Amino acid sequence: MNLFQTCAGDLAEVLVEGHWRLDDLVSRGGLRLGRRPRWLRPLARRLLEAFPDGRPTSDRVSAFLKSDAKFRKQWPFALVVQNRPLPVMAPRPGPPEKWPVPAIVTPSRLADRLGLSLDELDWFADRRGLERLTIEGPLRHYSYRWKPKRNGSLRLIEAPKDRLKAIQRRILDEVLAPIPPHDAAHGFCPGRSVGSFVEPHAGRSVVLKLDLDNFFPTISLARVIAVFLTAGYPEVVARILAGLCTNRVPSSLWKRPDAPSGGPEDWRTRHLYREAHLPQGSPTSPNLANLVAFRLDARLSALASSSGATYTRYADDLAFSGDDRFARSIARFPVHASAIVLEEGFAVNPRKTRVMRQGVRQQLAGAVLNVRPNIARDEFDALKATLYNCLQHGPTAQNRAGHDDFRAHLLGRIAHVATLNPDRAQKLQQMFDRIEW
């Protein structure tokens, strides 16, 4: 790399470490150059014209500088100041400016906040993707297991080990929790539940259900970095935070006996997992997924409103409902919704698309909606029978699916019933309390 490329890259890094405004760009550039040459302000204007949507990454600014003919004419110049300007928090204009996230502007400050050394911070962030090459053992940051889905396919659970999990919980509590998701998001949001997700769709003429395919692994490292940049973190800090919250799956995982077999769909899944993505099993993944999907939720809410429909989302489940006006557009509405999903970097699983009118059972997330939200009768009866058998024969024999914590699994199912029908849940809880564990 020649001197011009080095200096252009250095100047780009400095420019993006503050607010993306004319005077701020000129000020930061002048500090780094040791002076404010006449060409600096016109350069800042050209940068704002080239990137009008807000602060870009340093790589994009560096590429712009290297290709900008007017900037090249000013060459050579020297970076005479040894100390770089201290980065500052620079949230995107608008609501992000009011997010009460902690100000962390350098890697050393992030390491201090997390109780780590800089070397430990770099190791846990794994920005070089070493997890994908590490053999099974103590040096891996994650434990992996394949979990069967209801349709017979397999879902990969990536569970962070204790130290990384503790780091991720701090990021969740201190950085992500203060950032509000879209109002349409109901999964993993305080004060919201399956009940609040399905309630707006009860008693409607028609209900449409769409399912996002490979929701968590579809969310890439770049999209996670964008969340932290939007919150105002300098790029180097945003990249480290994103590295702490994403993962690359070891290739050897697909050689295990319990791994899914080959096929075009499995090939695409392997590709997603091979790249840095949100791991399903990490405490930060649900919140980050909601934040990444903010624009998706906003566009689908607007589409639903224009068709006289209501929209809510619970993780990868998308629900729309309405009455006569929505029913008249239901034939083409899924096509428009799916197009928006694709434009926002996700994909709809067409095999799980359901249009449910009042003449059939309208069901979302295990809740029947035809009159009011309620647990499906067959699901309630199955859970009641399981609890009864646990009372009669002991819980061990009833754990046929091999849940790691069968007690917690049953409590979770009872809690699900409670969000829809508290009276029924109370009866189930009374049975549960009599089980000898």
Side-chain angles (χ1 to χ4, degrees), residues 7 10 29-36 77-84:
C7 291
D10 182 280
L31 287 172
R32 187 57 179 148
L33 296 171
R35 65 195 188 284
R36 293 191 183 183
F77 63 87
L79 301 177
V80 299
V81 177
Q82 296 301 314
N83 295 323
R84 296 164 62 104

Side-chain angles (χ1 to χ4, degrees), residues 235-310:
E235 184 179 338
V236 62
V237 175
R239 289 185 177 277
I240 294 172
L241 286 169
L244 292 168
C245 299
T246 55
N247 183 41
R248 293 175 172 88
V249 172
S251 303
S252 59
L253 202 65
W254 269 263
K255 298 178 181 179
R256 289 181 8 180
D258 57 344
S261 58
E265 188 171 323
D266 287 334
W267 180 89
R268 178 177 178 271
T269 301
R270 290 188 191 193
H271 176 74
L272 291 173
Y273 281 114
R274 184 169 62 243
E275 303 300 325
H277 62 279
L278 284 186
Q280 186 162 354
S282 165
T284 52
S285 290
N287 283 60
L288 279 168
N290 279 339
L291 298 176
V292 169
F294 188 97
R295 181 179 162 90
L296 170 70
D297 291 334
R299 294 186 65 187
L300 290 178
S301 293
L303 176 67
S305 179
S306 69
S307 301
T310 300

Side-chain angles (χ1 to χ4, degrees), residues 16 45 67 92 100 110 115-116 125 130 134-135 155 163 198 202 206 215 218 276 289 343 367 372 416 424:
V16 300
R45 289 197 182 98
S67 62
R92 191 181 182 93
L110 177 59
L116 303 171
L130 298 180
T134 304
I135 61 173
R155 173 186 290 114
R163 286 199 68 191
V198 302
V206 60
F215 182 47
T218 298
E343 289 170 1
R372 63 179 180 83
H416 171 68
R424 282 188 167 185

Side-chain angles (χ1 to χ4, degrees), residues 95-125:
E97 293 177 309
K98 299 180 181 179
W99 293 347
V101 298
I104 308 170
V105 296
T106 64
S108 61
R109 291 187 182 181
L110 177 59
D112 290 342
R113 191 178 189 94
L114 297 175
L116 303 171
S117 68
L118 282 172
D119 287 341
E120 288 176 322
L121 182 67
D122 182 67
W123 184 62
F124 282 115

